[in-house]
Amino acid sequence: MRSRIKTRLTQFCAALLVIGGWQVARLPEASPATVASLAKDFSFEKLPLNEAATTRDIRTVAPAYEKINHWISSLGAAVALADFDANGRADDVCLVDPRDESVTLRPAPTTGDRFAPVALEPSGLPYDSTMAPMGCVPSDYNEDGRTDALVYYWGRSPVLFLRNAQPVASSSFTRQELIQPFEVWNTNAISLADFDGDGHTDIALGNYFPDGARVLDPEADQPELQMQDSMSAGYNAGRNRVLLFREAQGGTVPQARFTEATGALSPEMANGWTLAMGAQDLDGDGLPELYVANDFGPDRLLRNVSTPGKPRFQVMEGVRHFTTPKSKVLGRDSFKGMGVAFPDLNLDDVPDMVVSNITEDYALHESNFAWVSTRRKVLGEDGTAFYDDRSEPLGISRSGWGWDLKTGDFAGDGRVQILQATGFIKGTSNRWAELQELAMTNDELLKNPDMWPRFGPGDDLSGDDPDRFFVQAPDGRFHDIAARLGVDNAGPTRGIALADIDHDGRLDYAVANQWRQSFLHHNNRSTRHPFLGIRLMRPAAACGETTGTSVTPAIGATAHVGSGAAGTRTAQVYPAAGHAGVSSPELLFALDGRATAANVTVTWRDACGTRHNAGLSLTPGWHTVLLTSDGSAQEITR
């Protein structure tokens, strides 16, 4: 009898421990009243960006990948918001649609039929069915004041589409190879910044499959057609690169020349399976750091220690505390980085970092990251990065199979929200059991795709994951209210782009969905708050030139809003960050309801690489500010 009681007591205690552990591990749920309170400041109208019909959802791939063709077909949707028609607003969309492998420019919904849709096709350059676009990055690549586009691909190196005339039409773009001659790359990420501090915007480029691998060629038979050589330390991918701006010209025959900075990225920095990149000046020295988000291995935070013409970077790693798992230390993680954004989560005026990973219930439960600064000088000379992961207490550690991330103030009250694209491949047969087996496979087998389980048509991996819209509650914890707002958009999503497309002070966003219709979420909240919108521009002229009236976005410039700010106080102009979404090169701040003006301090480099800062006072509304080479900041339009 006593033995039976002891057994029952043991069983009861074990059950209590299991239930208690489950209660502790599960994410706290917000009450209906809390959700309703958080949702009241947001409202969006969902508008289509392309057609609804889907005629294909699998690409033709190399024979080595035929067994996993659905996996290989999981990427390609991308979106950007920019000003192509020079009307002063980022109300034009560049959408990459894998359903027909198209890259199309068109006016954003609600902004009028200002020009007919334009297909960005690399006509006149080597291009065939073994190549597919993966992303579109608007910018002024030849510094003539017009918005160009860079399109990157699987199967070839990127192509520049340089503007040569107005209005916007296919003939308005001159096609040019980014590198001569073109090479076979499989690119998944682009970040734009003046990495070497010479006053010109450079290009960081993240590749995925090995260089030379013809992934989409049904006749390819190459040793490069391989998968990662480890689930947690894969370094056999394509090589990442930094391309430096060299020279350019505008006019009827525009040109731009970029050259690779050989040796800028060491093998330790460059050979991960990169899915996302983001540039941001973390230490305030005017040189942007580079965050490289890698699949199948540790992400890299690269401190910028460059000089003009000689880009150099230092690998940074976080501090491991007594209670910190190794995989949650910055630079030592083993998760699947798919997106990165730079909000200021702890309001110390130092950029933090949020990163997407795979966080699927009852599957691979890794962790999204919220790398939060622990002191103002966050980068040590010895390679220490003073950031700790706070994703769990902040409520954003778990969300599904994550992709692109963007952060912004959609309520207009100074608080930051976090948007996340999610989902992998959509089908009817759940194949998570097979993927879990693969995750435990010996690394020696992983590289060979023949050893993988089948992931083909009809197979599903997190195909119904909803997008996330995280809003911070008064207790500091974020809660996902996407379903409540009608923006959960269940299914595979890849890219997110932000812009105030109609300059009404309400931040809008576009999403690019994989193998399905994409959408613009037009912000139509009823509450209006005072705001300050700033377009930071600089003269589109070479060092020492004073002629011409054209202006170009001041990539890398920083604006700090002092008196009058109602929340986020500092923002940097780095629109190309993340996986497959490029936002507008504009800054939007919330102002205090009583503010009649705000004091703004702007920091920038001119075309000679000289760093300046200047102050000005701006009233609520949108402003275009010209940052000159003599160190002045002047408003040129309202």
Side-chain angles (χ1 to χ4, degrees), residues 317-329 332 388:
E317 291 188 351
V319 177
R320 187 179 183 185
H321 308 292
F322 180 73
T323 58
T324 309
K326 178 182 176 182
S327 59
K328 298 196 80 174
V329 176
R332 301 175 69 183
D388 288 343

Side-chain angles (χ1 to χ4, degrees), residues 22-30 391-392 395-399 477:
W22 175 72
Q23 287 288 344
V24 169
R26 65 197 292 257
L27 280 172
E29 293 184 4
S391 59
E392 185 68 25
I396 63 171
S397 62
R398 292 171 263 176
S399 56
R477 192 173 185 87

Side-chain angles (χ1 to χ4, degrees), residues 91-283:
D91 52 4
D92 305 320
V93 182
C94 187
L95 183 70
V96 182
D97 189 341
R99 295 176 301 177
D100 57 4
E101 308 293 17
S102 62
V103 184
T104 307
L105 299 182
R106 54 167 52 90
T110 76
T111 66
D113 297 326
R114 291 169 284 109
F115 57 88
V118 176
L120 294 184
E121 299 171 333
S123 51
L125 303 179
Y127 194 78
D128 58 31
S129 60
T130 68
M131 306 167 185
M134 292 286 140
C136 174
V137 187
S139 191
D140 181 4
Y141 291 94
N142 61 337
E143 299 185 348
D144 67 349
R146 295 184 174 122
T147 301
D148 313 305
L150 179 151
V151 178
Y152 57 93
Y153 305 85
W154 280 7
R156 74 169 344 271
S157 46
V159 172
L160 288 170
F161 293 80
L162 302 174
R163 289 292 301 281
N164 54 38
Q166 296 278 10
V168 180
S170 180
S171 59
S172 304
F173 293 89
T174 296
R175 282 75 171 162
Q176 179 197 304
E177 297 285 6
L178 179 62
I179 62 164
Q180 297 278 4
F182 89 95
E183 298 180 16
V184 176
W185 296 347
N186 298 283
T187 306
N188 271 338
I190 295 284
S191 187
L192 305 179
D194 177 7
F195 289 108
D196 64 343
D198 68 347
H200 302 281
T201 301
D202 309 308
I203 302 170
L205 184 147
N207 286 326
Y208 196 70
F209 291 99
D211 295 349
R214 301 195 302 274
V215 176
L216 306 180
D217 185 349
E219 299 181 0
D221 182 12
Q222 308 170 273
E224 293 87 356
L225 296 172
Q226 56 188 247
M227 298 301 289
Q228 74 276 13
D229 57 6
S230 171
M231 272 290 184
S232 59
Y235 300 109
N236 61 324
R239 183 164 56 86
N240 296 343
R241 293 163 166 84
V242 173
L243 304 181
L244 295 181
F245 175 92
R246 290 307 186 194
E247 59 185 2
Q249 71 179 40
T252 57
V253 188
Q255 296 179 22
R257 188 168 71 90
F258 293 81
T259 59
E260 181 177 350
T262 305
L265 301 178
S266 68
E268 182 184 14
M269 303 172 188
N271 291 340
W273 293 71
T274 300
L275 285 172
M277 283 182 161
Q280 195 84 175
D281 183 1
L282 301 180
D283 54 8

Side-chain angles (χ1 to χ4, degrees), residues 4-17:
R4 188 181 304 170
I5 292 174
K6 186 177 180 181
T7 300
R8 294 282 177 85
L9 187 59
T10 302
Q11 292 171 338
F12 177 75
C13 290
L16 249 148
L17 285 171

